[in-house]
Amino acid sequence: MTTDNQSYSTIDHLGRQIIIPFPPKRIVSVVPSQTELLFDLGLAESIVGVTWFCIHPQEAKSKTQVGGTKNLKLEKISSLNPDLIIANKEENDQGQIEWLADRFPVWISDIKTITNALDMIMSVGDMTDKTHEAGQIIQNIKNTFKELAPTRKIKTLYLIWKEPYMAVGSDTFIGHILELCGLTNLAGKSNRYPEYSIDELKALNPELILLSSEPFPFKEKHLNELKIILPNTEIKLVDGEMFSWYGSRLIAAGSYLKNFISSL
């Protein structure tokens, strides 16, 4: 990390060096959880573009929308002339991000653990001249996660999609959160997002299934469908943002997860 009066040089999570004006004044964020972080750092006036899925805070909806996380409107982003684009290795399309990186500074995160998330928060704070604010957010996250008391080792599947049923493996941020809660992830590490048939779900015989609110919007009717198939399994609807958003939303996630663990 180096700075001078006009520019800032830093390394992203993929080991790429980027150089941006310091502080940046025209930021495009193409990841919802990182968009929320930018607002919470006090950068509302510097944000010029966000995705359709950047729903927090409410103010984000007033910014220019640049498509979906994996279906970005590249020409619209170009028209915004950003001096910083903040992306993520998994949530964005590699080809689109490479196209943008050939034209603009793109900082890419890669988040699999809380440690990765805290590093991202500090890096974003440093490169936007919001180091103090980032430090406060990080301390608040650490404080709330200190209160987590892991439950017993419950055999669990966390489902994110239907038709086919798709779970989340251990080598993911959600998998890390499940581990922090003390749960045993039956999806394991062989596949980050394994698919399961009804027969395979029965064979796994999970003690607990968590139905996420995103990306597939599981509802009570889906819970009831699974309950018929797996009558001996506890099935819960959960707020996907609290398990998967790795920016400042983690402050609220700590309390949510504490209550979630208590409910088991």
Side-chain angles (χ1 to χ4, degrees):
M1 177 183 72
T2 59
T3 61
D4 57 34
N5 291 334
Q6 287 80 37
S7 63
Y8 180 97
S9 174
T10 188
I11 306 295
D12 71 8
H13 282 183
L14 304 190
R16 302 164 53 257
Q17 181 184 32
I18 65 165
I19 299 174
I20 61 173
F22 186 79
K25 297 296 185 183
R26 300 188 60 77
I27 304 172
V28 171
S29 175
V30 292
V31 179
S33 58
Q34 292 175 172
T35 297
E36 182 178 43
L37 170 65
L38 292 172
F39 277 94
D40 286 343
L41 288 171
L43 291 162
E45 292 185 4
S46 300
I47 301 167
V48 296
V50 301
T51 74
W52 296 323
F53 303 114
C54 296
I55 58 174
H56 298 302
Q58 182 70 25
E59 187 180 355
K61 297 178 182 178
S62 68
K63 300 295 182 177
T64 299
Q65 295 190 336
V66 298
T69 51
K70 292 187 182 295
N71 187 25
L72 299 169
K73 295 176 181 281
L74 300 179
E75 295 301 331
K76 179 169 282 190
I77 293 175
S78 295
S79 72
L80 295 173
N81 193 29
D83 52 20
L84 173 62
I85 299 172
I86 299 181
N88 175 263
K89 177 183 177 182
E90 180 166 297
E91 294 197 45
N92 300 122
D93 176 79
Q94 181 179 347
Q96 290 196 315
I97 294 303
E98 288 175 350
W99 188 93
L100 290 168
D102 285 340
R103 294 159 176 81
F104 307 100
V106 179
W107 192 91
I108 304 172
S109 65
D110 185 16
I111 313 290
K112 294 182 181 179
T113 66
I114 291 288
T115 298
N116 295 154
L118 299 184
D119 178 77
M120 177 275 292
I121 293 169
M122 183 52 69
S123 295
V124 171
D126 286 343
M127 76 179 79
T128 57
D129 200 22
K130 295 291 184 179
T131 299
H132 175 71
E133 291 84 349
Q136 289 182 316
I137 289 172
I138 288 170
Q139 190 57 55
N140 288 338
I141 292 169
K142 287 181 176 179
N143 289 342
T144 189
F145 270 82
K146 281 180 183 176
E147 299 177 5
L148 280 190
T151 183
R152 64 182 177 85
K153 299 292 184 181
I154 302 172
K155 295 188 297 181
T156 304
L157 272 183
Y158 186 104
L159 298 183
I160 59 170
W161 202 256
K162 187 178 185 294
E163 296 181 2
Y165 285 111
M166 184 182 295
V168 171
S170 299
D171 190 29
T172 60
F173 183 73
I174 294 174
H176 175 67
I177 294 297
L178 295 177
E179 182 180 346
L180 290 180
C181 292
L183 303 173
T184 299
N185 187 357
L186 290 180
K189 295 184 177 180
S190 59
N191 188 333
R192 287 168 62 79
Y193 299 103
E195 297 178 1
Y196 294 98
S197 67
I198 295 298
D199 287 341
E200 288 170 331
L201 287 178
K202 290 179 179 178
L204 275 178
N205 192 29
E207 296 176 82
L208 174 66
I209 288 181
L210 303 178
L211 301 180
S212 179
S213 60
E214 60 174 44
F216 185 87
F218 283 104
K219 305 293 184 185
E220 193 73 28
K221 65 178 182 179
H222 304 116
L223 184 155
N224 293 332
E225 289 171 3
L226 273 174
K227 197 64 182 173
I228 294 172
I229 299 165
L230 297 164
N232 297 320
T233 297
E234 182 177 9
I235 305 174
K236 287 180 171 287
L237 296 170
V238 295
D239 185 342
E241 293 177 2
M242 298 298 178
F243 284 83
S244 65
W245 283 40
Y246 41 75
S248 46
R249 172 77 31 166
L250 285 169
I251 298 172
S255 297
Y256 177 92
L257 294 171
K258 180 181 177 182
N259 291 333
F260 161 74
I261 291 170
S262 297
S263 73
L264 299 176

